[in-house]
Each structure stands twice: as C-alpha cells, then as structure tokens.
Amino acid sequence: MFDTIRRYTARLRTSERAQPQGTVERRAHNLFEAAAVYVAARVEDDQDRIEEAAAWVSPEALSFGVSELACRAVVALARERDESPGAVARDLLGLPAA
C-alpha cells in the first residue's frame, strides 16, 4: 500500500516539474488575497482588476473574504477612533447614531 502511495506522489512531483516550455506557472491565490485586491480595485474603480480578482476564487469564497475584510477594517478603525465597532460601522454607512 505504501509503495502505491510513494509511486503516486512521485508521479505528481515529476509532472509538476515537467511543464511544457512556454507555459506560465500560475500560482494559486487565496481568498483573502482575492478579497483585498477586489476591494481595492472597487475603490479605484478598476474594472479589469475587479474581474481578475473575482476569477481567482469562487463567488462564495470572495464574499466570505470581503466580509472578513470588512469586519477587520471596522475593528481596526474602531480601535483607532476609540469608538465601538457598531458606531464606526453606522458612521461608515452614513446611518444615524443608534
């Protein structure tokens, strides 16, 4: 059994190294990188980068990453302003204070 696993992993390693000439090795992007690029591109209104970042991960993963980025940004801004995250979130959205 272990011999089969060893042969399988050896094939994987050699197939990764032996890429045809002229092919560009694409590195995988994680959902947080995609979210950061996507949000920054939205701020800069860069449609090409928006589409590029959106293609890196699934729509669900991108949505999760953007949500996580928003949470972290609100927490960081709340600490900087010495306010509650709720107050900062309402202010960013232009909502009246609760």
Side-chain angles (χ1 to χ4, degrees), residues 12-27:
L12 282 177
R13 269 189 260 132
T14 57
S15 68
E16 289 173 2
R17 288 186 205 138
Q19 290 183 359
Q21 269 190 322
T23 60
V24 176
E25 184 177 322
R26 298 189 72 205
R27 120 183 134 76

Side-chain angles (χ1 to χ4, degrees), residues 28-35 52-63 65:
H29 299 278
N30 70 41
L31 66 100
F32 297 116
E33 182 180 16
E52 180 184 359
W56 290 347
V57 295
S58 72
E60 295 83 12
L62 183 60
S63 177

Side-chain angles (χ1 to χ4, degrees), residues 4 9 11 13-14 19 21 26 29 31 38 41-42 44 53 58 61 63 71 74 79 84-85 88 91 95:
T4 304
T9 56
R11 274 198 329 246
R13 269 189 260 132
T14 57
Q19 290 183 359
Q21 269 190 322
R26 298 189 72 205
H29 299 278
L31 66 100
Y38 180 83
R42 292 279 312 262
E44 297 166 354
S58 72
S63 177
C71 290
V74 167
R79 287 181 182 153
S84 73
V88 171
D91 182 50
L95 299 172

Side-chain angles (χ1 to χ4, degrees), residues 67-87:
S67 177
E68 185 66 22
L69 178 60
C71 290
R72 292 179 187 197
V74 167
V75 168
L77 195 53
R79 287 181 182 153
E80 185 179 294
R81 292 182 179 182
D82 198 26
E83 297 178 11
S84 73

